[in-house]
Amino acid sequence: MKTAKLKTAEMLLVRDEFTSDYTTGKLYVNGKFFCYTVEDMVRTGEITLVKVPGLTAIPAGSYKVENTYSAKFGVMMLLVLNVRGFSGIRIHNGVSAQSTEGCIVTSYTRLKNGKLVKDSAWKDLRDKLAGYEQIELKIKNGAIIRLTLLTLLLIGFGAYYLYQKGTFKQLSKALAAA
C-alpha cells in the first residue's frame, strides 16, 4: 500500500554571516531548525553584472526545489529550480564554501570561519522532504537586515546622547566648518 504524500514543505534559509570568502546560515524545515549551511560569497546587485562563476551564492528569494537524480553524483539530491543566472544548484554535503560552486552545503555542526563538519544532514534533509508533493525554499539575508537596523538604532541613540549633552550643536558646527 502506497502512503499519500504531504502537500508542501517549506524551507527557510536565513543567512547570518557574510564574508568575502563564505556565507553561513541556518536552515529551517516547516518552521523548525534543521541544520547549518555554508555557501559562496553573497554579491548584491544585478546578477549578470556581479556573479563570479563558481564563487557566488544564489540570490535571496523564493525557489521551488525537487528531489532529482544527479548524474554527477550518482544519487538523488535536492535541486533548486529557476535560479536566475545559475543552473545545477544542489543541496549537498561538504566542509566549506570551497566544497561548492554556488550550491548550498549543509551540516548538523558548524565550526568557526565558515567551516562545517561533513555529515549526513543533506541526505537526512533529502529523505525528510521525499514525502512532500512540493518543496519551497525561501532564502533571506537575515544578518544584513539586523545589522542595518542595529546600526540605525546606534546612530539614533548616539545622536540623542549628543543632543542631551549639548554637544550635538557643537559637533554639527565643527563638521560644517570642516
Side-chain angles (χ1 to χ4, degrees):
M1 182 172 155
K2 192 174 182 181
T3 57
K5 284 194 170 196
L6 300 169
K7 213 58 165 151
T8 303
E10 295 178 356
M11 292 191 296
L12 172 63
L13 171 53
V14 180
R15 293 170 171 159
D16 58 14
E17 184 180 2
F18 302 84
T19 75
S20 59
D21 296 320
Y22 62 86
T23 303
T24 62
K26 294 177 182 171
L27 184 66
Y28 299 84
V29 177
N30 295 329
K32 294 182 182 175
F33 174 77
F34 188 83
C35 66
Y36 297 100
T37 64
V38 68
E39 302 170 81
D40 288 317
M41 175 185 174
V42 169
R43 301 172 197 274
T44 57
E46 176 57 41
I47 196 65
T48 56
L49 299 176
V50 299
K51 180 182 174 189
V52 177
L55 297 174
T56 303
I58 64 175
S62 296
Y63 304 98
K64 298 285 184 199
V65 176
E66 287 184 355
N67 204 353
T68 65
Y69 181 78
S70 167
K72 179 178 179 180
F73 295 102
V75 295
M76 295 294 286
M77 296 179 76
L78 295 171
L79 175 66
V80 183
L81 303 173
N82 303 318
V83 181
R84 188 165 169 253
F86 293 79
S87 63
I89 300 299
R90 298 276 184 181
I91 298 174
H92 59 80
N93 66 347
V95 295
S96 68
Q98 286 72 40
S99 304
T100 181
E101 292 185 3
C103 296
I104 301 168
V105 175
T106 62
S107 175
Y108 291 122
T109 307
R110 177 163 64 181
L111 305 172
K112 294 181 180 181
N113 300 324
K115 303 287 190 232
L116 302 176
V117 173
K118 194 171 184 178
D119 59 26
S120 66
W122 76 275
K123 286 181 184 176
D124 296 344
L125 179 63
R126 174 200 65 193
D127 295 347
K128 179 181 184 83
L129 297 175
Y132 288 89
E133 289 179 16
Q134 296 178 20
I135 306 167
E136 296 176 2
L137 169 64
K138 184 177 282 187
I139 300 174
K140 293 185 177 183
N141 291 335
I144 291 174
I145 294 168
R146 283 194 297 274
L147 179 62
T148 302
L149 291 174
L150 178 61
T151 303
L152 290 173
L153 285 172
L154 290 174
I155 290 169
F157 283 126
Y160 179 74
Y161 176 78
L162 292 173
Y163 177 77
Q164 290 295 320
K165 290 289 188 181
T167 56
F168 191 76
K169 288 182 182 177
Q170 295 169 359
L171 181 61
S172 295
K173 287 179 185 176
L175 290 173

